[in-house]
Amino acid sequence: MIKFFRKIRQNLLMENKRAKYLKYALGEIILVVIGILIALQINNWNQVRIQNNELLKIHERIILDLENDIQELSSNLMFWKEKEPIFKKVINDSINRTLNADLLDEGLSRLLFSSPQTNLNKTGVLQLKTLNVKDELSLRIIEVYDYMENIYIIPIEKRISDKSTELVSIFQDNYTWFPEWMRKTIMKDNSSKELQ
């Protein structure tokens, strides 16, 4: 093909037909430009296809991350739901303070001194951030994870954990019965009078 065009150019130059040669050269330039534009367009389509495939894989990863996060958050929610009646009794000051039953401790010993910590699965979101896409779904996913990590779930759990640590320190420093309280459920027959 290149030899064919070279022969045409040489024939036009040898026959001294400069006007025809210039038209031919202009046509050849236009063909090269069109070829380059077509190649660029194909390359752009290919890049978009590659990015869409990568985005699809990241979305699949985010779905797995979300399923794990939902499971962990549900478990943590159940933990606190189980503690809710104890909190209500403390708030209403309705815990039975007498030794009329075997059970003295209704879960108070581990009420504030153990709290689950959520570990968000952020692999997919971090990949999404590095891909730097600006579609609405991706931006919303990033926003939700940032909200959970920086405003709602993680900071609240950290405050609860910090308060628990602070309380443990206060109790350890001021009450000799505290270690016994942390080790067991307090029953009438299994704990010291000081603890009771």
Side-chain angles (χ1 to χ4, degrees):
M1 188 77 158
I2 294 174
K3 288 181 182 179
F4 173 73
F5 288 122
R6 190 178 300 147
K7 280 186 179 181
I8 293 174
R9 271 195 314 261
Q10 286 174 351
N11 286 339
L12 289 173
L13 284 175
M14 292 213 180
E15 294 174 8
N16 217 6
K17 296 182 179 177
R18 291 190 182 189
K20 282 188 175 181
Y21 177 76
L22 286 175
K23 287 180 186 177
Y24 165 80
L26 185 62
E28 196 172 305
I29 291 171
I30 290 172
L31 277 176
V32 169
V33 168
I34 289 172
I36 291 171
L37 290 175
I38 290 172
L40 286 174
Q41 185 61 41
I42 290 171
N43 187 44
N44 288 342
W45 285 336
N46 194 35
Q47 290 297 328
V48 168
R49 184 185 58 78
I50 290 169
Q51 188 177 28
N52 287 341
N53 286 341
E54 192 173 346
L55 188 59
L56 181 63
K57 288 177 185 173
I58 290 172
H59 283 167
E60 289 171 356
R61 176 60 201 209
I62 289 171
I63 289 170
L64 290 174
D65 290 348
L66 280 171
E67 288 171 352
N68 291 330
D69 289 341
I70 288 169
Q71 186 176 6
E72 185 175 357
L73 288 167
S74 295
S75 174
N76 293 351
L77 183 61
M78 287 303 297
F79 172 87
W80 290 112
K81 284 285 187 190
E82 289 171 1
K83 304 294 185 203
E84 186 176 16
I86 301 166
F87 274 112
K88 286 182 178 178
K89 286 181 180 181
V90 170
I91 290 169
N92 297 329
D93 200 24
S94 64
I95 292 178
N96 191 346
R97 295 172 192 229
T98 65
L99 301 178
N100 63 353
D102 282 338
L103 187 63
L104 295 173
D105 180 5
E106 299 183 43
L108 289 173
S109 62
R110 281 156 293 284
L111 180 62
L112 292 177
F113 303 120
S114 64
S115 60
Q117 299 290 304
T118 303
N119 184 19
L120 293 174
N121 296 290
K122 300 180 293 187
T123 304
V125 172
L126 293 175
Q127 290 173 344
L128 193 61
K129 285 180 179 181
T130 58
L131 193 58
N132 200 23
V133 292
K134 302 294 182 198
D135 65 288
E136 190 175 332
L137 176 62
S138 298
L139 294 174
R140 183 72 175 129
I141 290 169
I142 292 169
E143 180 184 337
V144 167
Y145 264 85
D146 285 346
Y147 182 78
M148 287 190 298
E149 186 174 27
N150 300 317
I151 297 171
Y152 190 62
I153 294 172
I154 304 302
I156 289 173
E157 286 180 351
K158 179 153 179 26
R159 281 195 304 250
I160 291 170
S161 177
D162 289 349
K163 287 296 179 186
S164 294
T165 304
E166 188 179 315
L167 281 173
V168 167
S169 177
I170 290 169
F171 277 86
Q172 282 176 336
D173 294 344
N174 297 309
Y175 300 103
T176 56
W177 50 261
F178 181 72
E180 184 182 0
W181 188 42
M182 288 301 293
R183 277 195 311 271
K184 60 184 150 191
T185 299
I186 305 160
M187 307 286 271
K188 185 176 180 182
D189 299 331
N190 78 342
S191 55
S192 66
K193 289 289 180 194
E194 182 184 41
L195 177 57
Q196 292 176 20

